[in-house]
Amino acid sequence: MSYSAVSSMSSATPTVEPLSHLQTHQTAKKPAELATKHNTRLLNTDSLSREYKSANKRLLMFDYDGTLTPIVKNPADAQPTQNLLRYLAALCRDPSNTVWIISGRDQEFLQTHLGHIERLGLSAEHGSFMKLAGTHEWIDMLQNADMSWKSTCLKIFENYTAQTPGTVIEQKKSSITWHYRNALDQDEAYRQSLLCYEELKKIGGVDILVGKMNLEVRSLLVNKGEVVKRIQTQEGPADFILCAGDDQTDEDMFRALCDDKRAFCVLVGPPNRETLAGWCVESSEQVVSLLGSMVPQVTNGSNSSL
């Protein structure tokens, strides 16, 4: 997917420091190395609702694909429903709420489908770009970072794409992903992914993620957990935190919040999934319904505009 040009924030607008000054090192973590396996509790919506209603300052953070929309074969088809848009807009209108979408999607997609919602914060490409709530410009977090590793990674992915029909490469500023969801031979694609993973581990300065039928290589300078920390620093302490995600990249968010007793970290997936989240729901539809329950004036047929 492509990404649009970015512009710097004005001096009068709250800013976030770029990430080029951070030290990098290689990590190559498989899912089993990132979390402790446990049976996750099904989300207690009654408890969440009580905590939400009693809080004076709330922070709500959501992944997009697989969390607010179902996973689909063609990523362009994962567009927000009208209900989701209404619920997000209503949540953002509440002055007690700070709402963020923290996604691997690029700026162009998030801006096109969600950028019109006032007071909605957006984080694209796992934190490579951020648009603070109430502002209109995107901050390029990697403007001075060394991204020379991308050419090596791209050559590896191109080799496996040529050997595995139906697979595709997705390039972004901070990451490159090899998708094999639509491979003609799924068993062979999985075998190739294991071989590819071993080659990728030789690249320095990157994080390698095993996702849902994909391999993603990204800069170590950005991850969703760091986005959560920056948002908390910017916004200050909240009485209530809700964070939901479905994939390996979202574990970084859960890790950043795992010691916070105010946080409801919710995995979208089965109870036996390896995760740092304390709660789970089974589908993105349940997450959207949960958002609707937080804004009863919308679910009761209000025609509130976006």
Side-chain angles (χ1 to χ4, degrees), residues 131-301:
K131 187 166 80 73
L132 302 178
T135 67
H136 299 286
E137 290 86 16
W138 288 84
I139 307 169
D140 183 351
M141 303 299 294
L142 293 173
Q143 56 187 340
N144 299 316
D146 179 7
M147 305 296 286
S148 58
W149 57 267
K150 291 182 70 176
S151 59
T152 302
C153 176
L154 181 60
K155 289 179 181 178
I156 294 174
F157 279 158
E158 287 176 338
N159 180 47
Y160 281 91
T161 300
Q163 299 178 53
T164 320
T167 62
V168 296
I169 301 170
E170 179 185 12
Q171 295 193 60
K172 299 178 183 177
K173 180 178 176 64
S174 67
S175 66
I176 306 180
T177 305
W178 184 57
H179 296 276
Y180 56 92
R181 179 177 300 276
N182 296 325
L184 300 184
D185 186 334
Q186 291 288 317
D187 291 337
E188 178 60 20
Y190 176 71
R191 286 191 290 270
Q192 291 291 332
S193 74
L194 298 178
L195 298 174
C196 184
Y197 179 88
E198 294 301 319
E199 288 194 47
L200 295 172
K201 288 199 296 184
K202 301 174 184 178
I203 303 175
V206 299
D207 201 4
I208 306 167
L209 302 173
V210 180
K212 293 182 178 178
M213 303 189 78
N214 67 65
L215 289 174
E216 179 175 3
V217 183
R218 67 183 185 186
S219 170
L220 278 174
L221 295 174
V222 294
N223 69 69
K224 291 185 177 184
E226 293 303 315
V227 175
V228 169
K229 293 176 184 177
R230 288 196 289 273
I231 292 172
Q232 289 185 298
T233 299
Q234 181 73 34
E235 299 295 333
D239 305 318
F240 171 91
I241 301 173
L242 172 60
C243 180
D246 76 303
D247 208 348
Q248 195 57 48
T249 59
D250 302 314
E251 293 297 323
D252 292 326
M253 295 197 294
F254 302 152
R255 181 178 293 104
L257 295 168
C258 64
D259 293 329
D260 195 327
K261 299 186 186 308
R262 302 162 299 176
F264 284 82
C265 291
V266 181
L267 171 73
V268 184
N272 60 353
R273 267 267 302 275
E274 294 173 347
T275 183
L276 292 172
W279 306 91
C280 72
V281 296
E282 294 183 349
S283 69
S284 61
E285 289 83 1
Q286 287 179 278
V287 178
V288 175
S289 294
L290 176 64
L291 301 192
S293 71
M294 294 167 153
V295 284
Q297 71 275 17
V298 175
T299 59
N300 288 338

